[in-house]
Amino acid sequence: MNTKLLTRLRGIDTEARAGTLGKPSDHAVLAEWGRSGVKFAASSEKFEQVYYLALRKLLDCIVPTGASGADKPILHEGGVYLGCWLESTGTINAELLSRFIPSVSAASYALFADYQREDGLMPYKITEHGPAYRQIQLVSPLARSVWNHYLLHGRDRDFLRKMYDAMKRYDTWLATFRNTRGTGCVEAFSTFDTGHDGSPRFWHVADTPHLGNAAECNPDSPILPFLAPDLTANVYCQRTYLSRIAEELGEDASEWTSKAEASRQSLFEYCYDADDAFFYDMDRNGQWVKVQSDVLLRVLACEVGDKELFDTALQRYLLNTRKFFAKYPLTSIAMDDPRFDPFSNYNSWAGPTNFLTVIRTPHAFEHHGRYVELTWLVQPMMSALSRMSRFGQCVSPWTGEEGYTETYSPAILGLLDFVERLCGILPRPEGELWFTGLVPYAMDHGEEVAEETAYSRRVDGIVYELVNTREGSAIYRNGGDQAYLEFPNGIRVVTDRDGILKSVIGMTMRPVSGRLRYNDQDIPFSVKGNQQLEYRNGEWISRSDIGVIPPSYA
């Protein structure tokens, strides 16, 4: 094992690598990062520099704003987006940030509750000028982000109660004002309701709701309101997690369970084309708006559908090189659509690969145990990220070159998240730790991203360190010189938060056989791609073996 890289990891001064700080609040934020114990070292000095550049730019996206007060910074979207958006910054972005700087995520979530209107509408964004309510702009479910934060960080019931009450009121608002056709679906009144700026999905639709009122739809539109699959899936998932939260708070969860099921049924009745195996908007005339966009990924990321539906989506769309599986995936509309526009030098959801899609993707894949297939998306994006200097909103699906805007928090968090999922230590809400024994692969012109990596994280006072090479991996605890767990390249080792071995997962197309050294014992194993082997009483028990779905071309 590369002890030289381990020594370098231990010697990294995160504050020094972050450089000169830009504002007073950065000091406390960076100190909180330091308490996470997260450090990263790589055999490639260039990639390591990009990683700490991302950390530095992340600080620029964390700004004291609004009612949280100057002592409670929140996450901003970054770039030209000077504020916190509910569809992204206040949900999926903050969900990723929660693993690194949880106080900022908590403050970001809470601000949407603080600024909720009396009628129940939450702001779609919060800026230095205050809250804005012109549209709804929903994608990632807030309840899932709040629930995962709650589980990861000490189960603060006061926080959970505050957010639950606010989300409950917002659910009532949506049911009252965004179900005008009585279908049970959530309706889109404008392009910005879903954040799909510039998408052919919303050609001939105004960007904002009628008269700037989120509760009004243009009465003269020949096609609005749309029954929107992503908005409906959001509410389905939201209600599913609200049922968990209600149960945790000692309330009756059955109402949320039945409401979630009603949303699911409406979604499939009105927005699902079984022949295409795709989700479409339905316009006011009962016609499907047949634009194949990342709406599919959004619905799947909201935990809609079973294994069969997800596998079909992989085969026909997400891993199809005619559809969304570009060289740098996933595109914002299908590549075989004549309206597809790959240019990424402006804010566009008409083709280029957007980082919001990138960071929403892992949950959809992992929810169905598709770990290997996810790496096929992560690896090329890691190559693109390793070349970044600005951290733009989107990249060219052909070249991976960064496009519009800069210092964009989803791109920054995408790098931090992908490093942790591919070759780092990832704490899970359910109490597991993932140690993944892969390294970035040289996808672009044979240029190395990093042949070897090292990563550290502090969990419940224990410092874990993971060193990865192409041959194998080793985990160290609390600065020890001897690895307490070693394993071959190509698997993920799952432990509890005390580091006790629970299972392994095959992370490559090829089967991996070898020996896992744990507690001074050599434990032989053999695991296939996506197979999960549970370690119980000194034996391996196959918990799941779903195989691997290869890419398609037609």
Side-chain angles (χ1 to χ4, degrees), residues 48-287:
E48 189 175 306
Q49 288 176 345
V50 170
Y51 183 89
Y52 287 102
L53 176 62
L55 170 58
R56 178 64 188 81
K57 287 183 174 289
L58 178 63
L59 296 176
D60 293 337
C61 296
I62 297 173
V63 183
T65 306
S68 63
D71 61 333
K72 287 188 178 180
I74 66 167
L75 182 63
H76 278 209
E77 192 77 0
V80 299
Y81 307 104
L82 303 178
C84 184
W85 267 253
L86 183 58
E87 68 148 329
S88 50
T89 338
T91 49
I92 185 61
N93 301 11
E95 187 171 333
L96 300 186
L97 183 68
S98 179
R99 303 202 306 261
F100 305 94
I101 311 172
S103 72
V104 174
S105 294
S108 302
Y109 298 140
L111 212 55
F112 286 96
D114 292 340
Y115 278 125
Q116 186 173 37
R117 283 194 333 201
E118 289 187 6
D119 65 356
L121 178 63
M122 284 186 179
Y124 76 91
K125 72 174 180 179
I126 299 162
T127 71
E128 62 181 354
H129 304 297
Y133 304 92
R134 184 180 58 187
Q135 63 243 20
I136 56 174
Q137 204 151 339
L138 299 176
V139 182
S140 295
L142 176 60
R144 188 191 79 197
S145 300
V146 165
W147 178 246
N148 288 340
H149 178 88
Y150 171 79
L151 294 182
L152 273 172
H153 301 294
R155 294 177 176 259
D156 182 344
R157 292 178 69 86
D158 290 340
F159 165 78
L160 192 66
R161 167 58 69 182
K162 172 179 180 174
M163 296 307 301
Y164 174 74
D165 289 344
M167 292 185 290
K168 184 176 180 179
R169 291 191 296 269
Y170 194 24
D171 183 87
T172 299
W173 188 95
L174 289 168
T176 302
F177 295 103
R178 288 304 183 104
N179 184 29
T180 63
R181 294 165 62 179
T183 64
C185 293
V186 181
E187 296 164 353
F189 291 175
S190 69
T191 303
F192 289 171
D193 280 336
T194 70
H196 257 156
D197 305 33
S199 172
R201 174 189 181 190
F202 286 106
W203 280 359
H204 311 297
V205 170
D207 284 341
T208 60
H210 188 54
L211 304 178
N213 184 346
E216 287 196 38
C217 185
N218 179 5
D220 297 324
S221 170
I223 53 178
L224 291 179
F226 285 175
L227 307 181
D230 45 352
L231 298 179
T232 305
N234 173 287
V235 168
Y236 159 75
C237 193
Q238 184 81 1
R239 289 171 166 178
T240 299
Y241 278 85
L242 284 172
S243 72
R244 300 182 189 182
I245 295 172
E247 186 174 9
E248 178 77 4
L249 294 173
E251 297 193 3
D252 182 10
S254 60
E255 178 185 4
W256 291 118
T257 302
S258 60
K259 284 184 175 181
E261 176 58 19
S263 292
R264 190 196 67 80
Q265 290 180 6
S266 295
L267 172 66
F268 279 91
E269 180 179 354
Y270 294 100
C271 298
Y272 185 64
D273 181 342
D275 292 333
D276 288 358
F278 210 92
F279 294 91
Y280 299 113
D281 298 291
M282 179 174 280
D283 76 4
R284 69 183 296 173
N285 308 300
Q287 296 185 92

Side-chain angles (χ1 to χ4, degrees), residues 10-29:
R10 291 174 175 176
I12 287 175
D13 183 337
T14 305
E15 291 190 12
R17 296 300 294 267
T20 303
L21 302 182
K23 54 188 180 299
S25 61
D26 289 346
H27 295 276
V29 171

Side-chain angles (χ1 to χ4, degrees), residues 485-502:
L485 206 159
E486 297 179 89
F487 52 98
N489 173 277
I491 69 171
R492 169 175 288 156
V493 168
V494 180
T495 76
D496 65 13
R497 291 175 71 93
D498 292 323
I500 297 173
L501 178 63
K502 293 185 66 176

